[in-house]
Amino acid sequence: IVTVLAGLVVVGLSDFLSSSEDTSDINGIITGDLLIVMAQIISATQMVVEERLLTKYNVPPLLAVGWEGVFGFLTLTVFLVPMYFIPAGKFSGNQRGVLEDAVDAFIQLANSGVLVAAIVLNIVSIAFFNFAGVSMTKEISATTRMVLDSVRTLVIWLVSLALRWQEFQYLQPIGFAVLVVGMMLYNDVVIVPFLRRRGIVRDQQMNIEPVLEPTDEIDGNDNAGRSVDPY
């Protein structure tokens, strides 16, 4: 896990060093970083709670994803009502200057078929992604799910390079190489099995002491001649 984190840090560092954006707003940068940390804590908590519920109540993964979707839809539907009236100033991103303008969103959907297609594909993508994630949490563990989830960063990087959405940075392949090595070490594939076959790495053998002394099945005596209850 430390190796995976090191790879992600190197990738993030490459973006930071190559960024040409204005970094004079230190308060804004710190606030953004704190929000990201809080979001990661909430996401980690969700993964742990999911694993506990899935193992304790033996919930099918598809059922869990379905209920998560229902609760999420109902919660956001309720929240969109007050957000329609709460002013947000420069953080709003819409003409009315509020947190969320649901009416304007539906108008945009009605006027753009491409936007509707993008929303539908996004829903399908997230549905399959959540189902795969919850299934992995149930069958293996939430930790393994989050380790494998870091592969998304590698895929996004490759797609971004192919579409020329970002420039190549020499630290990025180094960071992703460290990331892949960490994933292989965590899942015990390729690297450790290769070293094990070469005899470089050996699994530790546990020495288990017998709880009872060996007995003679015929006369019920142990090796020292003492009488032992065979039951």
Side-chain angles (χ1 to χ4, degrees):
I1 293 178
V2 172
T3 308
V4 172
L5 291 176
L8 294 176
V9 168
V10 173
V11 174
L13 182 62
S14 66
D15 290 335
F16 177 78
L17 295 177
S18 62
S19 177
S20 59
E21 298 179 358
D22 183 17
T23 58
S24 59
D25 187 6
I26 301 299
N27 292 332
I29 295 175
I30 295 177
T31 303
D33 291 340
L34 291 177
L35 290 174
I36 292 175
V37 171
M38 291 173 59
Q40 293 301 313
I41 293 175
I42 294 174
S43 177
T45 304
Q46 176 187 349
M47 299 301 107
V48 174
V49 172
E50 280 185 357
E51 181 176 7
R52 178 175 177 81
L53 294 178
L54 289 172
T55 55
K56 182 177 181 180
Y57 299 104
N58 195 25
V59 181
L62 189 59
L63 179 61
V65 173
W67 278 116
E68 285 184 357
V70 170
F71 289 134
F73 175 80
L74 295 178
T75 302
L76 290 178
T77 300
V78 173
F79 282 169
L80 282 175
V81 176
M83 287 180 179
Y84 184 80
F85 301 99
I86 298 177
K90 63 180 182 180
F91 297 103
S92 64
N94 53 66
Q95 295 180 354
R96 295 184 59 249
V98 295
L99 282 178
E100 292 290 344
D101 192 344
V103 176
D104 183 61
F106 283 110
I107 294 176
Q108 294 182 40
L109 289 174
N111 295 329
S112 176
V114 176
L115 185 58
V116 173
I119 293 296
V120 172
L121 290 176
N122 187 43
I123 293 174
V124 174
S125 173
I126 292 176
F128 279 100
F129 172 77
N130 289 339
F131 173 70
V134 173
S135 299
M136 184 174 299
T137 300
K138 181 178 177 61
E139 298 298 329
I140 307 177
S141 68
T143 308
T144 303
R145 172 185 177 181
M146 298 309 297
V147 170
L148 295 179
D149 185 64
S150 58
V151 180
R152 286 193 299 162
T153 311
L154 174 60
V155 176
I156 293 172
W157 176 65
L158 294 175
V159 173
S160 298
L161 288 179
L163 298 178
R164 296 183 178 180
W165 288 351
Q166 69 177 33
E167 297 180 356
F168 177 82
Q169 301 294 333
Y170 71 94
L171 282 178
Q172 290 177 334
I174 298 176
F176 285 119
V178 176
L179 172 65
V180 173
V181 169
M183 293 180 53
M184 290 181 179
L185 293 175
Y186 182 83
N187 293 284
D188 194 19
V189 295
V190 181
I191 298 178
V192 177
F194 174 79
L195 297 177
R196 191 179 292 119
R197 289 194 300 268
R198 296 289 182 176
I200 300 176
V201 175
R202 295 182 180 180
D203 294 332
Q204 295 182 354
Q205 300 293 333
M206 297 181 61
N207 296 325
I208 302 177
E209 298 294 337
V211 179
L212 299 177
E213 296 181 354
T215 60
D216 190 339
E217 296 183 357
I218 299 177
D219 56 10
N221 297 327
D222 61 8
N223 295 335
R226 296 188 298 266
S227 177
V228 177
D229 186 358
Y231 301 102

